[in-house]
């Protein structure tokens, strides 16, 4: 961790600890009424607005290069602040992605990396599983979550293969908390995808993956009512930075079809 961030981490880590302690022991949930949840949610919205501005400027022939650089610096500064806040809170709250990304401390059962079954070598981006029914959607309310839902659920039978949606590097391959067995992949655009409640994990921290490469099998580990894949897209590797996953996939020209529960 960079030295000039330590003071900021200490300041924000304490207030976000309460958020993560509640969220990580319950069903996956997102920001809602809690003022500290609102702080993280505001940072997420600010980042997405900054990203939209960067994209617009890059496609504007009249934009000066310095405008693009300034906008990108702002976006990265917002993400850095959010990253530090959530990392500190995750460490204190026991988020395994923050404290045990390799899964060693938790003795997570991570299988030997296998041949990339299901890999579509012509695909750049794809859906995270097949033969699914969309169930709980991003920001859904319901009795299963004390706050809003932070991802998109894909209802599939236990043992259904789960695939990396795009090329990237495994940031975490771990277990524990309400998400059970989980994998986090960092992609080239700086976003992270999160695959949770897995029955088995087939990738390890630091491993490179391709679009369609199998990262695990869907299951019912963690806090669930039945087998499914919980899929998130995050600005950082940590809980509290999720963005609408289907919107993000559409930007990658991936269409996910099916009725959703709200």
């Amino acid at each position: 961790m960079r030295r000039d961030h330590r003071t900021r981490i200490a300041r924000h880590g304490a207030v976000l600890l309460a958020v993560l302690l509640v969220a990580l022991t319950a069903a996956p949930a997102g920001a809602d009424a809690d003022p500290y949840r609102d702080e993280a949610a505001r940072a997420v919205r600010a980042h997405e607005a900054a990203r939209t501005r960067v994209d617009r400027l890059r496609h504007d022939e009249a934009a000066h290069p310095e405008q693009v650089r300034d906008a990108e610096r702002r976006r990265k500064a917002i993400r850095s602040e959010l990253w530090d806040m959530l990392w500190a809170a995750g460490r204190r709250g026991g988020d395994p992605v923050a404290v045990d990304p390799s899964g060693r401390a938790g003795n997570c059962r991570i299988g030997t990396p296998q041949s990339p079954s299901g890999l579509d070598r012509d695909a750049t981006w794809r859906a995270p599983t097949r033969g699914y029914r969309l169930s709980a959607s991003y920001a859904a309310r319901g009795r299963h979550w004390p706050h809003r839902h932070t991802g998109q659920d894909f209802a599939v039978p236990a043992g259904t293969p789960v695939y990396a949606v795009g090329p990237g590097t495994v940031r975490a391959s771990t277990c524990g908390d309400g998400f059970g067995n989980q994998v986090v992949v960092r992609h080239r655009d700086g976003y992270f995808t999160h695959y949770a409640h897995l029955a088995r994990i087939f990738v390890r921290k630091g491993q490179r993956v391709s679009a369609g490469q199998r990262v695990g099998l869907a299951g019912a580990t963690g806090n669930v009512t039945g087998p499914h894949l919980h899929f998130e897209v995050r600005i950082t590797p940590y809980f509290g930075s999720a963005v609408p996953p289907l919107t993000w996939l559409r930007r990658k020209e991936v269409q996910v079809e099916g009725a959703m529960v709200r």
Side-chain angles (χ1 to χ4, degrees):
M1 183 57 59
R2 298 183 297 275
R3 186 179 301 275
D4 60 348
H5 285 170
R6 289 177 181 170
T7 300
R8 191 163 63 246
I9 292 170
R11 184 174 69 249
H12 290 292
V15 295
L16 285 175
L17 170 59
V19 178
L20 269 297
L21 283 174
V22 173
L24 293 173
T25 56
D32 193 27
D34 189 297
Y36 301 126
R37 292 179 186 275
D38 289 346
E39 181 180 354
R42 281 194 296 270
V44 168
R45 289 193 295 270
H47 178 276
E48 292 303 276
R51 179 200 56 78
T52 298
R53 174 170 170 74
V54 170
D55 290 345
R56 185 169 61 248
L57 288 171
R58 283 176 173 164
H59 289 88
D60 183 356
E61 294 181 357
H64 192 278
E66 189 59 30
Q67 287 182 286
V68 179
R69 288 192 290 269
D70 285 346
E72 179 65 1
R73 280 193 290 266
R74 172 170 171 71
R75 183 196 68 79
K76 289 182 176 180
I78 295 170
R79 184 182 66 174
S80 179
E81 182 81 6
L82 179 64
W83 188 305
D84 290 347
M85 289 161 55
L86 295 179
W87 178 85
R91 294 282 295 182
R92 291 175 173 82
D95 178 358
V97 175
V99 301
D100 185 27
S102 68
R104 294 191 185 95
N107 295 315
C108 303
R109 299 183 64 181
I110 300 172
T112 302
Q114 301 182 355
S115 60
S117 176
L119 178 64
D120 182 353
R121 297 191 180 279
D122 294 327
T124 303
W125 299 94
R126 55 152 297 151
T129 191
R130 295 173 177 166
Y132 56 82
R133 176 179 61 84
L134 294 181
S135 52
S137 62
Y138 176 82
R141 291 181 182 273
R143 62 186 178 85
H144 300 303
W145 316 290
H147 302 277
R148 289 183 182 270
H149 192 236
T150 55
Q152 174 63 56
D153 286 351
F154 292 76
V156 289
T160 300
V162 172
Y163 307 108
V165 297
T169 302
V170 177
R171 171 80 185 201
S173 181
T174 189
C175 62
D177 77 25
F179 287 118
N181 297 332
Q182 55 196 287
V183 170
V184 178
V185 176
R186 180 169 188 162
H187 301 285
R188 289 177 294 195
D189 64 355
Y191 284 85
F192 296 80
T193 50
H194 177 249
Y195 312 78
H197 305 312
L198 303 176
R200 294 187 65 185
I201 295 173
F202 294 141
V203 292
R204 297 182 181 274
K205 182 179 181 296
Q207 180 179 340
R208 288 188 149 190
V209 294
S210 301
Q213 185 165 338
R214 188 165 59 173
V215 299
L217 302 178
T221 58
N223 191 350
V224 298
T225 57
H228 69 280
L229 167 66
H230 175 87
F231 174 74
E232 286 190 22
V233 177
R234 297 174 172 181
I235 297 169
T236 80
Y238 311 116
F239 183 88
S241 61
V243 299
L246 299 190
T247 301
W248 184 85
L249 283 173
R250 282 195 291 272
R251 295 206 303 266
K252 308 297 185 185
E253 301 183 348
V254 176
Q255 295 298 322
V256 175
E257 304 295 339
M260 292 180 286
V261 176
R262 287 192 176 275

